Amino acid sequence: MRGGGPVIADGTARAIAALIAAAGRSGYGPALDALTRQAAGFDMSCAFAFNPDQSPVLIHDGYSATVDRRALRTYLRGAYLLDPFYSACVSGCSEGLWRMRDLAPDGFYDSDFAWSREVHPCISDQAGTLVEEVGFTIPLHDGFAATYSLMRNRGGQPFDAAEFAALAALTPIVGASLRQQWQHHIHGTDANPATPRPDTELVFQQAFGALLTPAQHAVTKLILRGHSSLSIAQNLGIAEGTVKIHRSNIYRRLGISSQSELFQIFIDHLVE
């Protein structure tokens, strides 16, 4: 604007105009990426709509060129339950931009989910792991919330403070745009409505069968999501020593000896 106030760069203004024009069209995702790239570069992106009672809805696929599509199928069949951004969305996280490490449980980056090539493209790509992921969390309508994630591959640098601030400044535009796109999705003639999914408890119970007690199932879910024994104890209101006993009994009942094997049982169930 004139008169000494802030000025919107020509590139950003054109990107905003293109994003408005792309609402409800197949070019929406690339237009959204073009806008956020005005603030910071990234290698991959994606946007999902989450609801605790329905399967995730893929709003934007910005990683197919570099990621095995099997990872996306595994994610949509249940691995999303381990994603910190999913947990944030369904727990009512406020609108804003977040670094994944600020949302993830304390032991997440020691977990297999964080490094798995078999799960979420937002976590791991064909070449290995990502150097960082940041994501916008945006409340939608009808009990849904969206995550729009931006990722940098290993070998690059994490988003620095200036880049993060520039991206965060776009939050109102990203939020308004995703809510508008969501309305096109749910009311469009070619929309693919979200489908009901099995109850969260049932997903885990089917993976591990009747071998585990209810208490052990509760501990197992938190182990898979990347919580340490101390964090599990705090979440469940039990002693850390009790968690360690549960962990030992879980491994014994399942005939395994490590968290990696526990994770693999869960993923094998989703793949099957």
Side-chain angles (χ1 to χ4, degrees), residues 81-125:
L81 295 168
L82 311 185
D83 186 347
F85 278 110
Y86 165 79
S87 297
C89 281
V90 300
S91 63
C93 184
S94 60
E95 180 168 314
L97 179 68
W98 306 85
R99 295 183 191 270
M100 176 176 273
R101 65 172 179 260
D102 293 332
L103 297 176
D106 60 345
F108 180 78
Y109 288 102
D110 295 325
S111 69
D112 290 271
F113 180 80
W115 310 111
S116 174
R117 296 178 181 178
E118 303 171 272
V119 191
H120 190 4
C122 295
I123 308 300
S124 178
D125 63 17

Side-chain angles (χ1 to χ4, degrees), residues 44-48 58 60-69 72 75 120-122 151:
M44 296 189 293
S45 65
C46 68
F48 289 95
L58 180 63
H60 167 49
D61 174 357
Y63 46 64
S64 286
T66 56
V67 172
D68 190 333
R69 295 291 291 182
L72 176 60
Y75 181 79
H120 190 4
C122 295
M151 296 148 274

